[in-house]
Amino acid sequence: DADVTQTPRNRITKTGKRIMLECSQTKGHDRMYWYRQDPGLGLRLIYYSFDVKDINKGEISDGYSVSRQAQAKFSLSLESAIPNQTALYFCATSGRGSEKLFFGSGTQLSVL
Amino acid sequence: GENVEQHPSTLSVQEGDSAVIKCTYSDSASNYFPWYKQELGKRPQLIIDIRSNVGEKKDQRIAVTLNKTAKHFSLHITETQPEDSAVYFCAASGFGAGGTSYGKLTFGQGTILTVHP
């Protein structure tokens, strides 16, 4: 089945380290998104991309950067991780003309 | 930008009872309102959605109602079952000129629903 795959599933790192979270999809969707989930805060949009040459900031982009390497790949980087970036990170995709999001399985990141 | 408020943050019901979760939104241009369910340790999945040209939509035991004037929408689950226990998220997004979707959702804070057998 077509899917959205995130790697790694879990990551523990130290303050100041550079971290990359990767997302790939076999759904053939143009649009990809990065969200973070924190208890009591819901899902907040970090960055989104409507195609390979289109990158947009979401509501909480500070401290993050992204790269859309191909239609199927969208990576999220934390240039210098800090403890309040500890969260569950989800990649998601949607097809052109559709608002339905398909989420990956998530990456639990802990910054010590 | 859009702001979505969701209540309650936790909801506990007995099996067979009904559950209602409510959301309000701030942007009158929003016209698409989905609900996602996230089971423990799993990814969020769409369970039902509604567009602003209708006031209610049903799918078996779940229904969503929309009041555009008041800018609020609600999820109703009837005859709850233990497998309905999960975190539920509401969300909102809008369309641009010509019907092009903005394509990005603003989510509420989530409601932890627990259904006791």
Side-chain angles (χ1 to χ4, degrees):
Chain A
D1 286 342
D3 202 5
V4 183
T5 302
Q6 291 183 235
T7 56
R9 292 296 304 274
N10 293 279
R11 183 71 184 267
I12 300 173
T13 192
K14 295 182 179 180
T15 297
K17 294 293 187 180
R18 184 178 188 274
I19 296 296
M20 179 180 287
L21 309 183
E22 299 187 352
C23 178
S24 63
Q25 51 110 352
T26 56
K27 288 189 168 293
H29 288 165
D30 293 321
R31 299 178 174 187
M32 300 187 73
Y33 311 79
W34 277 103
Y35 283 89
R36 67 175 277 177
Q37 182 177 6
D38 300 274
L41 296 177
L43 293 153
R44 292 181 292 166
L45 183 62
I46 305 172
Y47 270 95
Y48 62 104
S49 169
F50 284 177
D51 64 44
V52 175
K53 296 183 179 179
D54 176 78
I55 302 289
N56 304 280
K57 293 182 178 181
E59 57 184 298
I60 56 163
S61 60
D62 288 348
Y64 301 94
S65 63
V66 291
S67 174
R68 184 82 183 265
Q69 300 95 325
Q71 186 206 32
K73 295 183 182 295
F74 192 37
S75 60
L76 176 72
S77 294
L78 288 67
E79 298 301 327
S80 180
I82 56 177
N84 75 1
Q85 291 177 315
T86 293
L88 179 58
Y89 290 84
F90 283 104
C91 175
T93 71
S94 66
R96 190 175 304 179
S98 172
E99 296 87 356
K100 181 178 180 179
L101 293 181
F102 293 85
F103 285 87
S105 50
T107 295
Q108 179 62 57
L109 176 66
S110 297
V111 183
L112 304 178
Chain B
E2 175 65 276
N3 183 52
V4 178
E5 297 289 331
Q6 182 173 345
H7 298 281
S9 56
T10 61
L11 180 59
S12 182
V13 300
Q14 290 296 128
E15 182 177 1
D17 289 349
S18 295
V20 180
I21 303 170
K22 299 180 179 181
C23 290
T24 60
Y25 61 99
S26 61
D27 188 351
S28 57
S30 290
N31 53 16
Y32 173 69
F33 307 94
W35 287 87
Y36 283 79
K37 175 184 180 181
Q38 183 182 28
E39 297 177 354
L40 187 63
K42 301 292 181 67
R43 67 189 80 183
Q45 292 188 306
L46 179 71
I47 55 171
I48 194 168
D49 57 12
I50 191 169
R51 298 191 183 279
S52 59
N53 57 348
V54 297
E56 183 175 4
K57 183 177 180 180
K58 289 183 178 180
D59 184 3
Q60 299 183 358
R61 294 186 298 107
I62 61 174
V64 57
T65 58
L66 172 66
N67 183 326
K68 283 192 65 181
T69 302
K71 290 192 284 189
H72 67 71
F73 57 111
S74 300
L75 177 71
H76 304 254
I77 306 175
T78 59
E79 301 174 19
T80 54
Q81 302 169 3
E83 52 264 38
D84 295 327
S85 296
V87 180
Y88 291 81
F89 294 100
C90 63
S93 75
F95 283 89
T100 302
S101 169
Y102 291 145
K104 57 185 181 75
L105 295 172
T106 299
F107 285 86
Q109 297 85 351
T111 296
I112 302 172
L113 174 63
T114 303
V115 181
H116 299 282

